[in-house]
Amino acid sequence: MGAYQTTQRDPSHQLNVRLLRYRRSPDREDPALLAQDLLAHGRALDAIELTDIALRRDPGDADLELLRARALLAAGHVQHGERELIRVAKATPDW
């Protein structure tokens, strides 16, 4: 199997490509889906970075704020993550 075929099946490579694509052209990738995928692959720090960027573009997006809080928790920032979860819950009680 060639290097090209290996990277095509490597989820880490695909996530790297998607993350780079988002950094260069944020409108080409859904940040919430990408953050979920990053979290699912144990890449909490990348998910935090991504959601920070996305929230600068779309402040107050409850989905992104929740994903950021989940990423903070996954990265071991428990107190910060819990504060964010509480803040998001209070800001969007009907969500």
Side-chain angles (χ1 to χ4, degrees):
M1 183 181 310
Y4 177 76
Q5 290 174 329
T6 302
T7 58
Q8 289 299 311
R9 294 188 182 145
D10 180 7
S12 181
H13 173 75
Q14 292 299 320
L15 283 173
N16 289 339
V17 169
R18 291 173 61 201
L19 188 55
L20 288 171
R21 182 183 307 134
Y22 183 79
R23 287 177 182 154
R24 295 188 89 178
S25 183
D27 295 330
R28 293 184 59 201
E29 185 79 40
D30 181 338
L33 292 177
L34 180 52
Q36 288 175 357
D37 290 344
L38 289 166
L39 283 171
H41 285 87
R43 295 178 58 174
L45 295 177
D46 286 330
I48 292 168
E49 176 194 351
L50 173 82
T51 53
D52 284 346
I53 293 168
L55 284 166
R56 276 188 238 116
R57 292 175 48 93
D58 190 7
D61 182 304
D63 290 328
L64 290 171
E65 289 177 337
L66 178 61
L67 285 164
R68 183 174 186 281
R70 287 181 48 211
L72 287 165
L73 292 170
H77 303 290
V78 176
Q79 289 180 336
H80 192 180
E82 287 175 347
R83 280 194 311 265
E84 288 296 304
L85 284 173
I86 291 167
R87 186 187 61 73
V88 172
K90 286 181 179 178
T92 54
D94 295 332
W95 183 69

